[in-house]
Amino acid sequence: MQVTVSRKAHFNAAHRLFNKNWSDAKNNEIFGLCSNPNYHGHNYELIVSVTGNVNHETGMVIDLKILKEIIYQKIELHLDHKNLNLDIPYFKTIIPTAEHIVKYIYEILKSEISEISEKLKIQITLYETPRNFVTYPATI
Amino acid sequence: MQVTVSRKAHFNAAHRLFNKNWSDAKNNEIFGLCSNPNYHGHNYELIVSVTGNVNHETGMVIDLKILKEIIYQKIELHLDHKNLNLDIPYFKTIIPTAEHIVKYIYEILKSEISEISEKLKIQITLYETPRNFVTYPATI
Amino acid sequence: MQVTVSRKAHFNAAHRLFNKNWSDAKNNEIFGLCSNPNYHGHNYELIVSVTGNVNHETGMVIDLKILKEIIYQKIELHLDHKNLNLDIPYFKTIIPTAEHIVKYIYEILKSEISEISEKLKIQITLYETPRNFVTYPATI
Amino acid sequence: MQVTVSRKAHFNAAHRLFNKNWSDAKNNEIFGLCSNPNYHGHNYELIVSVTGNVNHETGMVIDLKILKEIIYQKIELHLDHKNLNLDIPYFKTIIPTAEHIVKYIYEILKSEISEISEKLKIQITLYETPRNFVTYPATI
Amino acid sequence: MQVTVSRKAHFNAAHRLFNKNWSDAKNNEIFGLCSNPNYHGHNYELIVSVTGNVNHETGMVIDLKILKEIIYQKIELHLDHKNLNLDIPYFKTIIPTAEHIVKYIYEILKSEISEISEKLKIQITLYETPRNFVTYPATI
Amino acid sequence: MQVTVSRKAHFNAAHRLFNKNWSDAKNNEIFGLCSNPNYHGHNYELIVSVTGNVNHETGMVIDLKILKEIIYQKIELHLDHKNLNLDIPYFKTIIPTAEHIVKYIYEILKSEISEISEKLKIQITLYETPRNFVTYPATI
């Protein structure tokens, strides 16, 4: 049986939900306050879970110091104190909903962790607020 | 791959664990303090998780404003500041353990969310206290 | 300078806000859902803070094992899994608002802790829900 | 002795720290990432504490339903999902640091609560992140 | 469908990560500060999840009073206020990483809970710090 | 009126409560499990509060980046992953109770922050566990 190791991280960012193909009225109807043209923001909390076998010599699935450093270099430095719509090229065409952000983070970290081992599986949970959060891949 | 979207909610309620087919002595033996005939109560915390595909136009699995409103109308207004045994017809014959409450909430929300889409799967976690909680359907 | 030592505890209870001198209509107007005649309930979280000098031999203001035991014997055993209105004589005539409960707990613990030392000052914070709490004596 | 009653609330907003009288270089040196011209954001958590005597008829310092409504009408509707620098006139000339935001919220709520009673004292704690928070008036 | 019932517990312990077959230099390289020969420590938080059918008479998957007592007798009394490397025979030869501790706790509790019913499945989550935690069996 | 600015930090450490002038029996009687000769440990959470006037140009009481760096350099690097009794000279003669640790941290940070301004007042809260914490100087 395998063990899942999880690490929490966080970043603060501004964003706006807006579909360029829609009128302002439709954006307002679907996204409501989240569509404020001047942006609003969140303290995003992130849980990165890595599943794999426990190494017999180290007693670890993955060295948490390395995982922490990957999250810092690839996610925190990249997204913290940013405007997701304006500062992150990926979100110039993709609406930065929590669902899209969690998939974006998954792809970046999946690629990094695959370099350590192809066998490691990952899952990301992203809290947009303490009451709203998303998980990818899905839990059910 | 699908994304799971989760929303927290809460309600405060009184309840009592009591099996009408048992003697008071047996109720006391099995349920202990939870069987106090004058009731006790909890701040129930609720996590509603919805799994599905991400809509390409909205970037969402389900509109959280709609999910929040369903939880408010069907669960919070229904259960908040209530005595589960006396005020909720379902619990006149069913013992309001956390296991039974979580299934009851699941059935109500499953029916509501199926009207949005038959493809959406849901899972409910109910905290009776910060140290005791139940999840339905099961996580393992 | 003195140190404040704090200990968290908790109890679950049912209650109802109701002033016997008022009509049902007035109780409803003032207390709203909190006046439900069948009661509702909470997971009360309690912080007991004790201020005093640090004993040179033990390095402690008060032995936390003793403080924990006093809170358990005098508050948790007394209030946990109870209906405050029906099971606690004090609240037969006093409305069990958070303000009145925190004063009641203060008087019980003040008396107990004075037996250890007259010089120890205490302050109680009571969470009725994670979003509503009261402190006695006042913090400002 | 008086009781302090506290209520938590929250709002999500974007902001930027920027002193118009300084060069970009100096803004960068003093405010660092917080000065990103495209803004970043936070989930602000707010604790509003009100101190006063307990009313003998209601058992309350202040009706929490009224306090909750004041916070909703005057703070949450006003600041939630906003860009503090662009959408809130007060912060067009005042830098929206946590210190300035907490004072701004204090002045609005102090004025509202004084209309209920001149004798009520208030104190505000504002969490900008789970690790950074400010309190006004000061606690020490 | 089955329900998962979860109970939180905690213990405080000292430990050190150290592989006897490696040089001090290699231990330092792999385990860093966690290899301090004088030990360091944690407040370990534990979630024990039990999955099974709901008993029709009790409305429970497992009596939480019994589960709480098993965790207390077999885990808390055994590990609380201990030095894992020196006081727990199992960790004289096995490195007390979070991965190994969670497996050790799983084996103890699996054996205890199997005596209640062979059909109950269990899963353990162990928080070493609020930001680092492990789950066994794996969640993904 | 002044504002209080607070910053949370944390460190993990092992310790043991032991008075060299007492017999083992008396140490056991007073300190119980906390006196285990092989040590136990905690995730210490720290809140550093600084009170002062708000600077008109920066909108700040103290630059949080500087406060964070002081806490990191003087407290976290000094105490994290350490055995307080063996690795920290001050605790070779002083029992490392939470009361003594919070005073020790206060003296270090008071000295550092006085170099920024003599007018700044500080207060430290130290959580030994989520249920036990101490504050210096005292809050009441």
Side-chain angles (χ1 to χ4, degrees):
Chain A
M1 274 192 292
Q2 296 188 307
V3 175
T4 301
V5 175
S6 299
R7 170 79 194 167
K8 284 192 193 174
H10 60 102
F11 59 92
N12 311 321
H15 80 152
R16 176 198 184 191
L17 302 187
F18 180 72
N19 184 327
K20 289 171 183 176
N21 302 319
W22 293 347
S23 65
D24 283 0
K26 179 147 191 201
N27 271 291
N28 228 3
E29 179 202 329
I30 301 296
F31 294 127
L33 289 172
C34 298
S35 199
N36 175 7
N38 288 330
Y39 311 99
H40 64 285
H42 298 290
N43 302 327
Y44 289 95
E45 293 279 337
L46 187 69
I47 300 175
V48 179
S49 297
V50 179
T51 292
N53 293 315
V54 179
N55 179 293
H56 288 295
E57 284 197 304
T58 62
M60 297 174 178
V61 168
I62 184 174
D63 185 335
L64 269 181
K65 293 189 301 298
I66 292 173
L67 178 60
K68 182 181 171 183
E69 188 64 17
I70 290 172
I71 299 170
Y72 178 67
Q73 292 292 337
K74 299 298 173 182
I75 306 301
E76 292 181 336
L77 281 186
H78 181 47
L79 301 180
D80 191 32
H81 282 75
K82 296 290 171 61
N83 182 309
L84 299 179
N85 303 64
L86 299 180
D87 296 329
I88 308 300
Y90 181 84
F91 293 116
K92 298 212 169 174
T93 54
I94 303 287
I95 306 169
T97 57
E99 289 91 330
H100 282 160
I101 303 170
V102 79
K103 280 188 164 189
Y104 178 64
I105 292 171
Y106 173 87
E107 295 302 340
I108 292 171
L109 292 180
K110 178 66 185 162
S111 160
E112 293 291 321
I113 287 166
S114 292
E115 288 183 25
I116 299 174
S117 164
E118 289 285 355
K119 291 183 184 162
L120 295 170
K121 283 167 281 178
I122 75 166
Q123 188 180 52
I124 312 291
T125 293
L126 179 73
Y127 283 77
E128 195 166 86
T129 73
R131 296 203 163 265
N132 296 342
F133 57 99
V134 295
T135 306
Y136 181 76
T139 58
I140 40 175
Chain B
M1 274 194 291
Q2 296 189 309
V3 175
T4 301
V5 175
S6 299
R7 171 79 193 165
K8 285 192 191 172
H10 61 102
F11 59 91
N12 311 321
H15 80 150
R16 176 198 184 192
L17 302 187
F18 181 72
N19 184 327
K20 290 171 182 176
N21 302 320
W22 292 349
S23 65
D24 282 1
K26 179 147 191 202
N27 271 291
N28 229 3
E29 180 202 328
I30 300 297
F31 295 127
L33 289 172
C34 297
S35 200
N36 175 7
N38 287 331
Y39 310 98
H40 65 284
H42 298 290
N43 301 327
Y44 290 95
E45 293 279 336
L46 187 69
I47 300 174
V48 179
S49 296
V50 180
T51 292
N53 293 314
V54 179
N55 179 294
H56 289 294
E57 284 197 304
T58 63
M60 297 173 178
V61 168
I62 184 174
D63 185 334
L64 269 182
K65 293 190 302 297
I66 292 172
L67 179 59
K68 182 181 171 183
E69 187 65 17
I70 290 172
I71 298 170
Y72 178 67
Q73 293 292 337
K74 299 298 172 182
I75 305 300
E76 293 181 335
L77 280 186
H78 181 46
L79 300 181
D80 190 32
H81 282 77
K82 296 290 171 61
N83 182 309
L84 299 179
N85 303 64
L86 300 179
D87 296 329
I88 308 300
Y90 182 84
F91 293 116
K92 300 214 168 173
T93 53
I94 303 287
I95 306 170
T97 57
E99 287 92 330
H100 283 158
I101 303 170
V102 78
K103 280 188 163 189
Y104 178 65
I105 291 171
Y106 174 88
E107 296 302 341
I108 293 171
L109 293 179
K110 178 65 185 163
S111 159
E112 292 291 321
I113 287 166
S114 292
E115 288 183 26
I116 299 174
S117 163
E118 289 285 354
K119 291 182 184 164
L120 294 170
K121 284 167 281 179
I122 74 167
Q123 186 181 51
I124 313 292
T125 293
L126 180 73
Y127 284 77
E128 195 167 84
T129 74
R131 295 203 164 265
N132 296 341
F133 57 98
V134 294
T135 306
Y136 182 76
T139 57
I140 39 174
Chain C
M1 273 194 293
Q2 297 188 308
V3 175
T4 301
V5 175
S6 299
R7 171 79 194 165
K8 284 193 193 173
H10 61 100
F11 59 92
N12 311 322
H15 80 151
R16 177 199 183 189
L17 302 187
F18 181 71
N19 184 327
K20 290 172 182 175
N21 301 320
W22 293 347
S23 65
D24 282 1
K26 181 149 189 200
N27 271 292
N28 229 1
E29 180 202 328
I30 301 296
F31 295 127
L33 289 173
C34 298
S35 199
N36 175 6
N38 286 332
Y39 310 98
H40 65 285
H42 298 290
N43 301 327
Y44 290 95
E45 293 279 336
L46 187 69
I47 300 174
V48 179
S49 297
V50 179
T51 294
N53 294 314
V54 179
N55 179 294
H56 288 294
E57 284 197 302
T58 63
M60 297 172 178
V61 168
I62 184 173
D63 184 334
L64 269 182
K65 292 189 302 295
I66 292 173
L67 179 59
K68 182 181 171 183
E69 187 65 18
I70 290 171
I71 299 170
Y72 178 67
Q73 292 292 339
K74 299 298 173 181
I75 305 302
E76 292 181 336
L77 281 186
H78 182 46
L79 300 181
D80 191 32
H81 282 77
K82 295 292 172 58
N83 182 309
L84 299 179
N85 303 64
L86 299 179
D87 295 329
I88 309 299
Y90 181 85
F91 293 116
K92 299 212 168 174
T93 53
I94 303 286
I95 306 169
T97 57
E99 290 90 330
H100 282 160
I101 303 170
V102 79
K103 280 188 164 190
Y104 177 65
I105 291 170
Y106 173 89
E107 295 302 342
I108 292 171
L109 292 180
K110 178 66 185 162
S111 159
E112 292 292 321
I113 287 166
S114 292
E115 288 183 27
I116 299 174
S117 163
E118 288 284 354
K119 290 181 184 164
L120 295 170
K121 283 168 280 179
I122 74 167
Q123 188 180 49
I124 312 292
T125 293
L126 179 72
Y127 284 77
E128 195 166 85
T129 74
R131 296 204 163 264
N132 295 342
F133 56 99
V134 294
T135 306
Y136 181 77
T139 57
I140 41 174
Chain D
M1 275 194 292
Q2 296 188 308
V3 175
T4 302
V5 176
S6 298
R7 172 80 193 164
K8 284 193 193 173
H10 61 102
F11 58 92
N12 311 322
H15 80 150
R16 177 198 184 191
L17 303 187
F18 181 72
N19 184 328
K20 290 171 183 175
N21 303 319
W22 292 348
S23 65
D24 283 0
K26 179 149 191 200
N27 272 291
N28 229 3
E29 178 201 329
I30 301 296
F31 295 127
L33 288 172
C34 298
S35 200
N36 175 8
N38 287 331
Y39 311 99
H40 64 284
H42 299 290
N43 301 327
Y44 289 95
E45 293 279 335
L46 187 69
I47 300 175
V48 179
S49 297
V50 179
T51 293
N53 293 314
V54 179
N55 179 294
H56 289 295
E57 283 197 305
T58 64
M60 296 174 180
V61 167
I62 185 174
D63 185 334
L64 269 182
K65 293 189 301 296
I66 293 172
L67 179 59
K68 182 181 171 183
E69 188 64 17
I70 290 172
I71 298 170
Y72 178 67
Q73 292 292 338
K74 299 298 172 181
I75 306 300
E76 293 182 335
L77 281 186
H78 181 46
L79 300 181
D80 191 32
H81 282 75
K82 296 292 171 61
N83 181 310
L84 299 179
N85 303 64
L86 299 180
D87 297 329
I88 309 300
Y90 181 85
F91 293 115
K92 299 213 168 174
T93 54
I94 303 286
I95 306 170
T97 57
E99 288 91 329
H100 282 159
I101 303 170
V102 78
K103 280 188 164 189
Y104 177 65
I105 292 171
Y106 173 88
E107 295 303 340
I108 293 171
L109 292 179
K110 177 67 186 162
S111 159
E112 292 292 321
I113 288 166
S114 292
E115 287 183 27
I116 299 174
S117 162
E118 289 284 354
K119 290 183 185 163
L120 294 170
K121 284 167 282 180
I122 75 167
Q123 187 180 49
I124 312 292
T125 293
L126 179 73
Y127 283 77
E128 196 166 84
T129 74
R131 296 203 163 264
N132 296 342
F133 57 99
V134 294
T135 306
Y136 181 75
T139 57
I140 40 174
Chain E
M1 274 193 292
Q2 296 188 309
V3 175
T4 302
V5 175
S6 299
R7 170 79 193 166
K8 284 193 193 173
H10 61 102
F11 59 91
N12 310 322
H15 80 150
R16 177 198 184 191
L17 302 187
F18 181 72
N19 184 328
K20 290 171 185 177
N21 302 319
W22 293 348
S23 65
D24 282 1
K26 180 149 191 199
N27 271 292
N28 229 4
E29 180 202 327
I30 301 296
F31 295 127
L33 289 172
C34 298
S35 200
N36 175 7
N38 287 331
Y39 310 99
H40 64 284
H42 298 291
N43 302 327
Y44 289 95
E45 293 279 336
L46 187 70
I47 300 175
V48 179
S49 297
V50 180
T51 293
N53 293 314
V54 179
N55 179 294
H56 289 294
E57 283 196 304
T58 64
M60 297 173 179
V61 168
I62 184 173
D63 185 335
L64 269 182
K65 293 190 302 297
I66 292 172
L67 179 60
K68 182 182 171 183
E69 187 65 17
I70 291 171
I71 299 170
Y72 178 66
Q73 291 293 338
K74 299 297 173 183
I75 306 301
E76 292 181 335
L77 280 187
H78 181 46
L79 300 182
D80 191 32
H81 281 76
K82 297 289 171 60
N83 182 310
L84 299 179
N85 303 64
L86 299 180
D87 296 329
I88 308 300
Y90 182 84
F91 293 115
K92 299 213 168 174
T93 53
I94 303 287
I95 305 170
T97 57
E99 288 90 331
H100 282 159
I101 303 171
V102 79
K103 280 188 164 189
Y104 178 64
I105 292 171
Y106 174 87
E107 295 302 341
I108 293 171
L109 292 179
K110 179 65 186 163
S111 160
E112 293 291 321
I113 287 166
S114 292
E115 288 183 26
I116 299 174
S117 162
E118 290 284 354
K119 291 182 184 163
L120 295 170
K121 283 166 282 178
I122 75 167
Q123 187 181 49
I124 312 292
T125 293
L126 179 73
Y127 284 76
E128 196 166 83
T129 73
R131 295 202 164 265
N132 295 344
F133 57 99
V134 294
T135 306
Y136 182 76
T139 59
I140 39 175
Chain F
M1 274 192 294
Q2 297 188 308
V3 174
T4 302
V5 175
S6 299
R7 171 80 193 165
K8 284 193 193 172
H10 62 102
F11 59 92
N12 310 322
H15 80 149
R16 177 199 183 189
L17 302 187
F18 180 71
N19 184 327
K20 290 171 183 176
N21 302 319
W22 292 348
S23 65
D24 282 1
K26 180 148 190 200
N27 270 292
N28 228 2
E29 179 202 330
I30 300 298
F31 295 127
L33 288 172
C34 298
S35 200
N36 176 7
N38 287 330
Y39 311 99
H40 64 285
H42 298 290
N43 301 328
Y44 290 95
E45 293 280 336
L46 187 70
I47 300 174
V48 179
S49 297
V50 180
T51 293
N53 293 314
V54 179
N55 179 294
H56 289 294
E57 283 197 304
T58 63
M60 297 174 179
V61 168
I62 184 173
D63 185 334
L64 268 182
K65 292 191 302 296
I66 293 172
L67 179 60
K68 182 181 171 183
E69 187 65 16
I70 291 171
I71 299 170
Y72 178 66
Q73 292 292 338
K74 299 298 173 182
I75 306 300
E76 292 182 335
L77 281 186
H78 182 44
L79 300 181
D80 191 31
H81 282 74
K82 296 290 172 60
N83 181 309
L84 299 179
N85 303 65
L86 300 180
D87 296 329
I88 309 300
Y90 181 84
F91 293 116
K92 299 212 168 174
T93 53
I94 303 287
I95 306 169
T97 58
E99 289 91 331
H100 282 159
I101 304 171
V102 78
K103 280 188 163 189
Y104 177 65
I105 291 171
Y106 174 88
E107 295 302 340
I108 293 171
L109 292 179
K110 177 66 185 162
S111 159
E112 292 291 321
I113 287 166
S114 292
E115 287 183 28
I116 299 174
S117 163
E118 289 283 355
K119 291 182 184 163
L120 294 169
K121 282 167 283 179
I122 75 166
Q123 188 181 50
I124 312 292
T125 293
L126 179 73
Y127 283 77
E128 196 166 85
T129 73
R131 296 204 163 263
N132 296 342
F133 56 99
V134 294
T135 305
Y136 181 76
T139 58
I140 39 174

